Amino acid sequence: MTTFAVVAGSVGARLSSSIIIILGFANLLADGFAMSVGAYL
């Protein structure tokens, strides 16, 4: 859900497509890292 919110906010801010894709992938990586660390702990 948060990835959708980041991408939707970026589209609403009228950022370029490449920046939107970068933000989406960065959010996916950060969410995955946070979930894996939480599961490990």
Side-chain angles (χ1 to χ4, degrees):
M1 189 68 176
T2 58
T3 303
F4 174 75
V6 168
V7 172
S10 301
V11 171
R14 298 179 188 246
L15 298 176
S16 69
S17 298
S18 60
I19 293 176
I20 293 171
I21 291 171
I22 290 169
L23 288 174
F25 279 125
N27 192 1
L28 282 174
L29 288 173
D31 282 343
F33 179 75
M35 283 189 277
S36 64
V37 169
Y40 177 75
L41 297 176

